[in-house]
Amino acid sequence: MGKKKVNKYPAAYRKMALERLKTCKSATDLAAELGIHRTQLYKWRDQMVPVDDGQGAPANSRERELRKEIRDLKRVLGEKVLEADFFKGALQKVEARRQSSNDSGATASTTKSGS
């Protein structure tokens, strides 16, 4: 007959560790600070069953959706930054050409509206 597995860490301790895991920069550093192996944190996280109150999908799938949305938004933001850099460079080239085509260096003569 095999031995019954007993949880070494109380539920409150595991919950505290998982809360800190959500906000920490490095799971490895957190695990070292807590004196446990990094994979233990992930096992606890995966074993945590969200409370289903009938209000939509479980927390894990909601978190997964939010992470995907963040990833998509970062990708779109990166594309927009590249576009802005492209147009900024193009504008600088156009302005440089205008200045170099003006031999006298004086500003171009234009009519003002309303004069």
Side-chain angles (χ1 to χ4, degrees):
M1 190 171 201
K3 291 183 179 180
K4 184 178 177 185
K5 188 175 181 180
V6 178
N7 285 333
K8 183 177 178 181
Y9 301 97
Y13 182 82
R14 287 181 275 163
K15 185 176 179 182
M16 175 275 303
L18 291 174
E19 288 299 317
R20 290 192 53 199
L21 179 63
K22 290 178 184 178
T23 59
C24 74
K25 291 183 180 182
S26 169
T28 304
D29 292 343
L30 176 61
E33 181 183 330
L34 297 174
I36 60 175
H37 197 272
R38 175 182 53 87
T39 56
Q40 187 65 51
L41 287 171
Y42 296 124
K43 286 179 187 176
W44 290 345
R45 182 194 65 192
D46 295 341
Q47 290 171 351
M48 189 174 113
V49 179
V51 176
D52 189 5
D53 58 359
Q55 304 271 339
N60 288 341
S61 63
R62 176 69 176 144
E63 182 178 340
R64 194 176 314 118
E65 289 175 22
L66 291 173
R67 288 183 188 278
K68 183 183 180 305
E69 185 177 355
I70 289 170
R71 202 170 35 249
D72 292 345
L73 290 171
K74 284 181 177 181
R75 181 185 50 78
V76 170
L77 177 61
E79 291 172 359
K80 295 300 178 189
V81 168
L82 287 174
E83 286 178 18
D85 289 345
F86 170 80
F87 287 119
K88 185 178 178 181
L91 180 61
Q92 289 173 347
K93 288 179 183 178
V94 168
E95 288 175 345
R97 285 184 186 154
R98 282 186 182 169
Q99 288 177 355
S100 66
S101 67
N102 203 0
D103 294 332
S104 68
T107 58
S109 174
T110 59
T111 59
K112 292 184 179 181
S113 61
S115 307

